[in-house]
């Protein structure tokens, strides 16, 4: 029982932040907290039937999607809208969401350092915009006002930064796989 | 190729239907295109997750724990509730039979109704044919029959009233307010029924208070108060201190029964909002039974009491001290 609670707590700490972002990306920022708590409530109530292994991420993301869609339905969003959100995110679940990421392999501090390093390596203007957006949470329009550039240019910089960071982080994923593979080989022989 | 603005909106969950359609067309092109977009969203998610503070995560974890423990408690309460419901359903069917009877009687006796209403600033007394006395004040309105022909003596009250009901075991006396009714055999009680809430204070005897909407029902003992919230239908019983004073407006008499000097001091303190201390030399065994006229100031009342009790009083700037004569 105690062990069960400890596992639950560590899963919560690992997945709450990313699920919060995932759900915000589906229902918008305001209602994510409650929905993610619903997801973990479901995990807790079904803990006996679920194996906590590699697939737990898949379970949590699927549960988060279905809770989010329910929320949208209750909120009175049109059926067509909900269907579209569902279809899009089903593709996401199939290809990417809920799978392992660099986040799962690295310690929090390590990941943070990697991210900061990657951000600092961005081209000047792009870095400046991205820091304002990401580190200071500023809206694109406000960043544009501060730097004297159009909102459109701001968005373009943010997009470029995200793409660059994605490449870096995916590199970590690959690197991790290679290390893992080597480890398997060495322990095999 | 997708517009960057739409992609950013997609990451933030801000797309409208048209923009979602654009996203969908884009990912439907090929799995490669789709994977690229979802990986970008994954990166965005990672950045956002990194930005979330430990305090935020801990707070969410505590909220969840709170929720889970409430659920466990709710389950326990539900089990209790099911047991209670069985008892309540039997009680409700009895109440329903009584209620139908009351409605039939009410329609039969409707022709000879009278209405009494107190002016806003004074008290009136109404004597009913059975000997029951009712005091009304502050615009309270009483509807009552010229004669009680039915097995139930029924009246209706709006506002605040005080009742001294004549004893008649065969014909219960029924007072109905907005949201509750009170059934009595012979007793003294105050009944206040306003739009928002109703309150019954029992002074003597016993009464049965019934909330009309949900058929909640309680029996009161002297000194108890039943309060009903008309909107939620919640029925609550409380032991109120100085409940006996809830109707002194009707005769301006402060009732005491076997009251020690300390108890008298507490009562007067409650009515006049003045601090009253009792000195050590006052005999604790001395008691007083009877009513004292409520007067303009507390000193006037104490002056009257010094005639029958072996006490004297002294007033200072902040309080009054009662001591042995």
């Amino acid at each position: 029982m105690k062990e069960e609670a400890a596992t639950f707590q560590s899963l919560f700490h690992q997945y709450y932040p990313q699920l919060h972002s995932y759900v915000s990306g589906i229902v918008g920022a305001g209602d994510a907290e409650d929905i993610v708590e619903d997801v973990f409530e479901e995990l807790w109530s079904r803990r006996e039937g679920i194996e906590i292994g590699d697939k737990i991420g898949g379970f949590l993301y699927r549960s988060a999607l279905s809770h989010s869609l329910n929320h949208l339905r209750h909120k009175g969003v049109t059926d067509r809208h909900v269907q579209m959100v569902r279809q899009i995110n089903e593709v996401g679940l199939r290809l990417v969401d809920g799978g392992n990421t660099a986040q799962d392999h690295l310690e929090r501090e390590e990941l943070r350092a990697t991210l900061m390093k990657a951000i600092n390596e961005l081209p000047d203007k792009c870095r400046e915009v991205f820091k304002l957006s990401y580190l200071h949470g500023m809206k694109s329009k406000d960043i544009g006002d501060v730097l004297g550039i159009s909102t459109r240019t701001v968005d373009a910089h943010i997009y470029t930064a995200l793409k660059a960071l994605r490449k870096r982080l995916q590199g970590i994923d690959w690197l991790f796989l290679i290390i893992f593979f080597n480890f398997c080989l060495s322990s095999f022989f | 190729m997708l517009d960057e603005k739409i992609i950013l909106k997609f990451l933030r969950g801000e797309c409208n239907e048209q923009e979602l359609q654009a996203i969908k067309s884009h990912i439907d092109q090929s799995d490669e295109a789709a994977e690229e977009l979802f990986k970008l969203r994954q990166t965005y998610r990672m950045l956002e997750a990194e930005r979330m503070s430990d305090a935020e995560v801990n707070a969410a974890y505590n909220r969840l724990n709170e929720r889970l423990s409430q659920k466990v408690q709710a389950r326990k309460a539900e089990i209790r509730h099911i047991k209670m419901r069985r008892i309540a359903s039997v009680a409700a069917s009895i109440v329903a039979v009584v209620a139908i009877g009351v409605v039939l009687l009410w329609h039969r006796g409707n022709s000879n109704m009278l209405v009494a209403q107190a002016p806003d600033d004074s008290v009136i007394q109404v004597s009913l044919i059975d000997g029951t006395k009712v005091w009304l004040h502050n615009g309270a309105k009483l509807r009552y029959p010229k004669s009680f022909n039915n097995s139930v003596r029924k009246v209706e009250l709006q506002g605040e009233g005080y009742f001294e009901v004549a004893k008649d075991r065969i014909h219960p006396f029924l007072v109905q307010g907005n949201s509750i009714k009170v059934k009595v055999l012979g007793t003294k009680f105050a009944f206040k029924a306003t739009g928002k809430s109703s309150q019954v204070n029992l002074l003597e005897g016993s009464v049965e208070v019934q909330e009309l909407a949900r058929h909640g029902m309680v029996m009161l003992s002297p000194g108890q108060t039943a309060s009903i919230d008309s909107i939620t239908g919640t029925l609550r019983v409380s032991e109120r201190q100085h409940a006996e004073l809830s109707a002194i407006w009707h005769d301006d008499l402060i009732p005491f029964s076997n009251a020690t000097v300390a108890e008298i001091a507490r009562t007067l303190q409650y009515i006049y909002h003045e601090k009253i201390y009792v000195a050590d030399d006052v005999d604790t065994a001395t008691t007083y039974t009877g009513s004292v006229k409520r007067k303009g100031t507390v000193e006037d009342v104490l002056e009257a009491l010094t005639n029958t009790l072996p006490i004297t009083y002294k007033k200072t700037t902040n309080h009054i001290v009662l001591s042995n004569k």
Side-chain angles (χ1 to χ4, degrees), chain B residues 82-115:
Chain B
I82 289 167
K83 284 184 192 157
M84 287 296 288
R85 217 153 49 187
R86 281 196 203 117
I87 300 166
S89 66
V90 174
S93 54
I94 296 168
V95 169
V97 171
V98 172
I100 290 165
V102 167
V103 168
L104 290 175
L105 291 169
W106 182 239
H107 279 290
R108 249 174 52 198
N110 223 0
S111 52
N112 64 344
M113 296 306 282
L114 297 172
V115 175

Side-chain angles (χ1 to χ4, degrees), chain B residues 22-120:
Chain B
I23 296 280
K24 189 164 170 353
S25 316
H26 177 75
I27 61 176
D28 281 347
Q29 282 169 19
S30 68
D31 272 4
E32 284 73 31
E35 192 172 337
E36 182 66 33
L37 182 68
F38 287 114
K39 286 246 161 155
L40 195 70
R41 189 169 75 166
Q42 187 184 46
T43 301
Y44 180 77
R45 193 150 70 227
M46 197 181 295
L47 286 161
E48 277 211 318
E50 275 310 301
R51 199 167 52 174
M52 187 178 280
S53 69
D54 290 346
E56 248 174 290
V57 182
N58 286 334
Y61 185 68
N62 292 339
R63 270 200 308 275
L64 176 66
N65 267 331
E66 180 83 358
R67 223 208 257 189
L68 290 173
S69 70
Q70 267 171 11
K71 238 185 160 178
V72 170
Q73 275 162 10
R75 274 271 284 284
K76 284 182 191 157
E78 197 179 348
I79 291 164
R80 271 202 303 274
H81 186 70
I82 289 167
K83 284 184 192 157
M84 287 296 288
R85 217 153 49 187
R86 281 196 203 117
I87 300 166
S89 66
V90 174
S93 54
I94 296 168
V95 169
V97 171
V98 172
I100 290 165
V102 167
V103 168
L104 290 175
L105 291 169
W106 182 239
H107 279 290
R108 249 174 52 198
N110 223 0
S111 52
N112 64 344
M113 296 306 282
L114 297 172
V115 175
Q117 184 165 18
D120 278 347

Side-chain angles (χ1 to χ4, degrees), chain B residues 116-126 135-141 160 249:
Chain B
Q117 184 165 18
D120 278 347
D121 51 358
S122 63
V123 176
I124 62 161
Q125 194 206 319
V126 186
W135 284 260
L136 305 168
H137 83 153
N138 284 347
K141 201 195 253 179
E160 190 167 10
W249 56 262

Side-chain angles (χ1 to χ4, degrees), chain A residues 60-71:
Chain A
L60 289 171
Y61 273 82
R62 179 154 289 288
S63 167
L65 176 59
S66 93
H67 281 280
S68 300
L69 293 173
N70 275 336
H71 177 84

Side-chain angles (χ1 to χ4, degrees), chain A residues 9 12-13 16-18 20-22 24-25 33-34 37-38 40-41 61 78 80-81 84-85 87-89 92 94-95 97 101 103 108 111-112 115 130 133-134 152 155-156 159 162 166 169-170, chain B residues 1 3-5 7-8 10-13 15-17 20-21 23-24 27 31 34-36 38-52 54 57-58 60-61 63-64 67-68 71:
Chain A
Q9 185 174 4
F12 187 90
H13 280 81
Y16 180 84
Q18 48 178 295
H20 188 278
S21 168
Y22 180 64
S24 300
E33 274 181 14
D34 279 347
E37 281 166 34
D38 287 341
F40 280 98
E41 194 178 324
Y61 273 82
T78 62
R80 203 177 123 74
H81 187 110
M84 211 126 65
V85 172
Q87 286 163 359
I88 290 169
N89 283 288
R94 178 164 63 81
L95 297 174
D97 299 331
T101 64
Q103 247 169 331
R108 221 176 140 84
L111 181 63
R112 195 165 284 165
L115 280 174
F130 192 73
S133 157
Y134 172 61
R152 201 175 177 82
D155 283 345
Y159 179 65
L162 281 173
R166 167 176 122 48
L169 291 168
Q170 200 178 23
Chain B
M1 188 55 210
D3 189 337
E4 286 142 12
K5 195 176 163 187
I7 294 177
L8 291 180
F10 174 64
L11 300 182
R12 295 174 187 138
C15 282
N16 61 27
E17 212 168 291
L20 282 175
Q21 185 60 60
I23 296 280
K24 189 164 170 353
I27 61 176
D31 272 4
E35 192 172 337
E36 182 66 33
F38 287 114
K39 286 246 161 155
L40 195 70
R41 189 169 75 166
Q42 187 184 46
T43 301
Y44 180 77
R45 193 150 70 227
M46 197 181 295
L47 286 161
E48 277 211 318
E50 275 310 301
R51 199 167 52 174
M52 187 178 280
D54 290 346
V57 182
N58 286 334
Y61 185 68
R63 270 200 308 275
L64 176 66
R67 223 208 257 189
L68 290 173
K71 238 185 160 178

